[in-house]
Amino acid sequence: MIKENQIFISIKQFAEMTGVSQVHAYRLVKSGEVPSTMFGTRHCIPRTFLEEKAKVLTNENEVRNRSKSSLQ
């Protein structure tokens, strides 16, 4: 897991937190779908990207659930 004051997460941490394989996580970084910064030879993903993506997905799910419940 990530520490409270951690600014960047590793690809391994990203993969574990999102449930994708490390190979797929590297592909997402390479394609630019997931932003990263290089520190030496290491890819580092901004923690804020993961937090913002989680907010967007949560909001989308809430809207979808409200739409489903209004149709019933």
Side-chain angles (χ1 to χ4, degrees), residues 8-18 20-30 34-36 38 42-45:
F8 292 97
I9 59 174
S10 67
I11 289 188
K12 180 180 179 182
Q13 289 173 314
F14 175 80
E16 289 172 354
M17 295 172 76
T18 59
V20 300
S21 70
Q22 284 186 32
V23 171
H24 187 63
Y26 274 102
R27 284 186 195 133
L28 292 169
V29 167
K30 187 175 181 178
V34 173
S36 72
M38 293 291 291
R42 190 172 173 187
H43 290 277
C44 297
I45 300 167

Side-chain angles (χ1 to χ4, degrees), residues 53-70:
K53 192 69 166 172
K55 284 180 192 176
V56 168
L57 292 174
T58 300
N59 290 339
E60 288 175 2
N61 286 335
E62 288 174 2
V63 168
R64 211 173 292 126
N65 289 340
R66 276 190 242 133
S67 296
K68 285 181 183 177
S69 65
S70 67

